[in-house]
């Protein structure tokens, strides 16, 4: 597609020319895409889902950009209580969680409202409200650009950690083509996270219906500005711009005492709220950070792009924010979105 820009493929709507865009609409398109990329002499393409977790460079990308737009869910009964659900990589995660709620399949209800595709979700082990992809992932079907072949990768081989995986630490080598989850056939799902239990008006550990948990997650995300509204004032964003940083027990005690939320992640690592640390460094909702870039009116940790914004400016703003937090708190923040395209 000549004339396409990375801006048109990302939620921040920033980014220069995308020279060669290949949209994968059905699994059968894959072999042709691999051939076309090989004929151009390229090792690996840039792969995008909905572009909700990337900062695409102003200079664009001179090679191929593969957009995963495959859809489809196949459910296979394992036994009376478990179902294997295979989902094409381009299938919107939000549609998958809505489907699972209707089918009374538990295990991914807390992921409702996370923007993006199902195939991108394992890349950063997407998670929210005490649940993450690694809780239910069984295996992935991936294309290996180094070995030029397909693999089935069991969940254990994906090195899924807190917002991390072997796909994030080794970008480009594998493209996820399909994701298989192991879900529980159950009318009810446990509310394991305090804010979610509060939203539902139950105690932690109670088991409301799956559809009620899904609805409560969506309501809570809406109130906290965690849904992506393509027509709202925060439409141009890439979600939380920093990961919650790991802290020592001493730092955790210090920051908890100041009212900064500190949680243990699923690996037991204590993490402080990146948003609260930004506020400690003087930032806040609505604060201008750079030309055309400011904190969302609803949430300090979400930076939104406006007229005059550039990808370079956005990336520089993250460097500046991180430096200010380091000065104010001694804690280093790591950006969550991935850089794609040509960067100096
Ligand atoms: C409003 C908002 C709220 C968010 N809330 C959350 C949240 O609660 N929890 C959370 O974890 N994340 C959250 N995110 C981040 C984002 O939604 C997730 O990371 C999501 O999984 C990204 O999906 P995507 O299709 O947009 O991926 P993209 O942004 O297109 O890609 C992200 C990365 O994955 C790679 N990639 C994409 N597809 C594939 C594939 N098929 N194979 C291999 N690599 C691939 C890309 O190259 C890139 O490096 C939020 C984002 C926004 C904008």
């Amino acid at each position: 597609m000549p004339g396409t820009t990375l801006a048109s493929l990302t939620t921040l709507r920033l980014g220069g020319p995308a020279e060669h865009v290949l949209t994968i609409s059905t699994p059968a398109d894959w072999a042709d895409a691999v051939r076309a990329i090989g004929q151009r002499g390229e090792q690996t393409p840039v792969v995008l889902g909905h572009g909700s977790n990337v900062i695409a460079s102003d200079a664009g990308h001179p090679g191929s950009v593969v957009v995963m737009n495959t859809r489809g869910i196949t459910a296979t009964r394992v036994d009376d209580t478990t179902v294997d659900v295979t989902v094409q990589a381009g299938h919107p995660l939000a549609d998958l969680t809505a489907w699972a709620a209707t089918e009374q399949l538990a295990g991914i209800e807390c992921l409702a409202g996370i923007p993006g595709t199902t195939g991108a979700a394992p890349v950063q082990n997407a998670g929210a409200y005490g649940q993450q992809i690694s809780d239910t992932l069984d295996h992935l079907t991936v294309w290996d650009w180094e070995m030029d072949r397909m693999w089935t990768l069991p969940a254990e081989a994906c090195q899924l950690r807190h917002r991390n995986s072997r796909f994030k630490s080794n970008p480009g080598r594998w493209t996820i083509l399909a994701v298989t989850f192991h879900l529980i056939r159950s009318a009810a799902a446990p509310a394991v996270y305090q804010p979610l239990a509060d939203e539902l008006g139950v105690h932690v550990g109670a088991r409301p219906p799956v559809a009620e948990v899904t609805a409560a997650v969506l309501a809570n995300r809406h109130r906290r500005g965690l849904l992506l509204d393509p027509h709202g004032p925060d439409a141009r964003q890439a979600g939380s711009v920093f990961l919650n940083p790991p802290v020592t027990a001493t730092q955790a005690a210090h920051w908890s005492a100041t009212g900064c939320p500190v949680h243990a992640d699923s690996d037991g690592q204590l993490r402080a709220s990146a948003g609260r640390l930004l506020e400690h460094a003087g930032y806040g909702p609505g604060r201008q950070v750079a030309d055309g870039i400011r904190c969302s009116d609803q949430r300090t940790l979400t930076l939104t792009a406006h007229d005059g914004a550039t990808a370079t400016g956005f990336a520089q703003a993250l460097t500046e924010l991180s430096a200010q937090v380091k000065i104010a708190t001694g804690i280093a923040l790591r950006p969550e979105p991935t850089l794609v395209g040509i960067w100096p």
Side-chain angles (χ1 to χ4, degrees):
M1 271 187 283
T4 306
T5 59
L6 290 172
S8 69
L9 302 174
T10 62
T11 56
L12 268 176
R13 300 181 210 160
L14 297 173
E19 191 188 294
H20 183 233
V21 177
L22 291 157
T23 300
I24 309 298
S25 300
T26 73
D29 294 343
W30 187 250
D32 288 343
V34 169
R35 204 170 308 116
I37 290 164
Q39 280 166 356
R40 289 169 58 90
E42 294 173 24
Q43 305 277 300
T44 58
V46 163
V47 178
L48 290 177
H50 292 170
S52 69
N53 207 19
V54 294
I55 308 170
S57 84
D58 298 316
H61 180 63
S64 299
V65 178
V66 169
V67 179
M68 298 305 288
N69 196 27
T70 46
R71 293 182 182 228
I73 302 173
T74 314
T76 317
R77 179 184 176 278
V78 177
D79 55 34
D80 285 350
T81 53
T82 48
V83 178
D84 276 352
V85 174
T86 297
V87 189
Q88 294 303 313
H91 203 94
L93 187 63
D95 291 359
L96 172 65
T97 54
W99 173 85
T102 310
E103 295 291 315
Q104 300 196 334
L105 292 174
I108 52 173
E109 56 285 342
C110 296
L111 309 182
I114 298 181
T117 54
T118 305
V123 173
Q124 73 150 353
N125 190 18
Y129 298 89
Q131 202 172 65
Q132 50 195 346
I133 290 290
S134 54
D135 295 339
T136 46
L137 182 69
D138 189 74
H139 66 267
L140 299 176
T141 305
V142 301
W143 180 260
D144 182 341
W145 291 95
E146 207 170 291
M147 307 290 281
D148 223 14
R149 58 162 286 187
M150 208 99 87
W151 296 101
T152 298
L153 285 186
E156 311 78 74
C158 299
Q159 297 165 13
L160 300 175
R161 305 180 293 284
H162 179 78
R163 303 296 167 269
N164 210 343
S165 71
R166 72 187 302 183
F167 311 106
K168 195 158 184 178
S169 45
N170 194 348
R173 171 157 176 193
W174 295 277
T175 297
I176 297 167
L177 302 178
V179 184
T180 299
F181 298 93
H182 205 58
L183 301 184
I184 307 297
R185 188 166 288 292
S186 165
V192 294
Y193 194 63
Q194 187 68 56
L196 180 56
D198 294 346
E199 183 73 39
L200 285 154
V202 300
H203 58 85
V204 169
R207 298 180 59 86
V210 177
E212 273 182 31
V213 177
T214 307
V217 167
L218 290 172
N220 193 266
R221 289 185 76 100
H222 176 66
R223 208 180 19 264
R224 294 169 57 208
L226 284 168
L227 290 179
L228 184 62
D229 173 0
H231 306 295
D234 293 345
R236 294 178 62 190
Q237 58 155 302
S240 300
V241 285
F242 293 110
L243 297 164
N244 288 333
V247 289
T248 62
T250 310
Q251 287 172 319
H254 169 78
W255 287 103
S256 289
T258 69
C260 172
V262 176
H263 296 292
D265 68 23
S266 55
D267 307 323
Q269 171 67 59
L270 294 169
R271 291 181 179 272
S273 157
R276 201 58 75 85
L277 297 177
L278 274 175
E279 284 161 11
H280 188 82
Y283 297 93
R287 163 87 185 260
Q288 182 87 14
V289 173
D291 280 351
I293 298 161
R294 59 174 190 255
C295 300
S296 145
D297 286 338
Q298 285 186 278
R299 236 182 135 233
T300 309
L301 192 54
T302 298
L303 289 196
T304 55
H306 304 270
D307 286 352
T310 62
T312 304
F314 199 92
Q316 280 170 352
L318 296 192
T319 307
E320 174 63 18
L321 260 57
S322 173
Q324 292 300 330
V325 169
K326 178 84 179 156
I327 291 166
T329 70
I331 297 174
L333 294 184
R334 250 189 48 212
E336 180 182 306
T338 315
L339 299 181
V340 298
I342 307 174
W343 288 88

